[in-house]
Amino acid sequence: MSRTRNPRAPLAHPATAEIDLFHVLHALADPTRMTVVRTLAAEPGGERPCGTFPVDVAPSTLSHHFKVLRESGLIRQREEVNRRITTLRTADLEERFPGLLATVLTAYGRSVAE
Amino acid sequence: MSRTRNPRAPLAHPATAEIDLFHVLHALADPTRMTVVRTLAAEPGGERPCGTFPVDVAPSTLSHHFKVLRESGLIRQREEVNRRITTLRTADLEERFPGLLATVLTAYGRSVAE
DNA sequence: AACCATGTTCGACGAACATCGAAATAGATA
DNA sequence: TATCTATTTCGATGTTCGTCGAACATGGTT
């Protein structure tokens, strides 16, 4: 018995009804994670692999942020060939907290525009 | 020279244009602070002294939360006789991030109602 | 002058967080 | 099979956070 790792955990996502507002707000209160969310929201129906986000952190750090986003219910990730594809849970968020995501993204757009 | 304290600092508030979205989201991502905001929002034009909020933390802890809320731009505090009166910066928030506060408060109402 | 009420600052604590580098996993390719 | 690519997990580090109790500041009351 040498290794007791848990590689490739089964990617748990909260159900729509279980999405917690405080977790969502906390997840959005970070520039790197906001960039991820905003990038996904920019292209409707957008999916993209982890490596393609315009963020400036180490891969392991980004992986951590994906976990936070996933567990908060903001994004969904599915396994694919050699990639992990990320999508925004737009509809689920809209069902759980109507208007929240759009309003926050608009607010972010404002603050970027000075 | 014995004491180098700074009692009763002059209560700095960010200008409306300087309100930072990440600070706001972070401030709202805490149950105690959310309770403060929600309590103020519940009564239109509501003002109330610090001691009258339905929260369950030590006075010093609450004071800390007020500081976070004040510095994020969510609340305004003014000195009065022996009290410090707190108000929600509803109009300023609306100007800076339209719809954000209302949407978040509605979302919170939802999550409380299960 | 003592006391009380209100709310703050200070200093400490453990928990959570953002970050990284190294090692590991899994599949595709050479 | 060895290697490359994509991404995660692990372990460590330094920082921020939420919390508290103790002490302090201010002003009204006794």
Side-chain angles (χ1 to χ4, degrees):
Chain A
M1 66 313 240
S2 47
R3 290 285 80 197
T4 317
R5 295 285 291 286
N6 185 14
R8 300 281 141 164
L11 286 191
H13 298 80
T16 301
E18 265 70 47
I19 296 178
D20 181 90
L21 179 62
F22 293 119
H23 292 172
V24 170
L25 293 176
H26 171 254
L28 291 172
D30 175 275
T32 300
R33 292 192 291 257
M34 179 65 89
T35 298
V36 169
V37 169
R38 186 159 167 72
T39 302
L40 288 168
E43 35 185 327
E47 328 188 303
R48 52 168 69 210
C50 298
T52 69
F53 288 87
V55 298
D56 194 31
V57 291
S60 56
T61 303
L62 185 54
S63 191
H64 158 72
H65 286 307
F66 278 123
K67 189 181 180 193
V68 173
L69 286 167
R70 183 161 22 88
E71 294 180 343
S72 79
L74 274 165
I75 64 170
R76 190 180 297 282
Q77 289 186 304
R78 69 165 195 278
E79 298 283 4
E80 201 153 286
V81 288
N82 202 12
R83 288 165 165 66
R84 186 166 284 189
I85 303 296
T86 302
T87 51
L88 242 194
R89 294 181 64 177
T90 315
D92 293 341
L93 261 298
E94 185 60 23
E95 179 185 333
R96 180 72 172 129
F97 301 126
L100 181 64
L101 190 55
T103 306
V104 171
L105 286 173
T106 300
Y108 179 71
R110 282 215 157 204
S111 64
V112 166
E114 245 90 343
Chain B
M1 66 308 244
S2 46
R3 291 285 79 198
T4 317
R5 295 284 293 284
N6 185 12
R8 298 281 143 166
L11 286 193
H13 297 81
T16 301
E18 266 69 48
I19 296 178
D20 181 89
L21 179 62
F22 293 118
H23 292 171
V24 169
L25 293 176
H26 172 253
L28 291 172
D30 175 276
T32 300
R33 292 192 291 256
M34 180 66 89
T35 298
V36 169
V37 170
R38 187 160 165 73
T39 302
L40 288 167
E43 36 185 326
E47 327 189 304
R48 53 168 69 209
C50 298
T52 68
F53 287 87
V55 297
D56 194 30
V57 291
S60 56
T61 303
L62 185 55
S63 192
H64 159 71
H65 286 308
F66 278 123
K67 189 181 180 195
V68 173
L69 287 167
R70 183 160 24 87
E71 294 180 344
S72 78
L74 275 165
I75 65 170
R76 190 180 299 281
Q77 288 186 304
R78 71 164 193 278
E79 299 283 3
E80 201 154 286
V81 289
N82 204 11
R83 287 165 165 65
R84 186 167 283 190
I85 302 296
T86 302
T87 51
L88 242 195
R89 293 181 64 178
T90 314
D92 292 341
L93 261 299
E94 185 61 23
E95 179 185 332
R96 179 74 171 127
F97 302 126
L100 181 64
L101 189 57
T103 307
V104 171
L105 286 172
T106 300
Y108 179 70
R110 283 214 156 203
S111 65
V112 166
E114 246 86 348

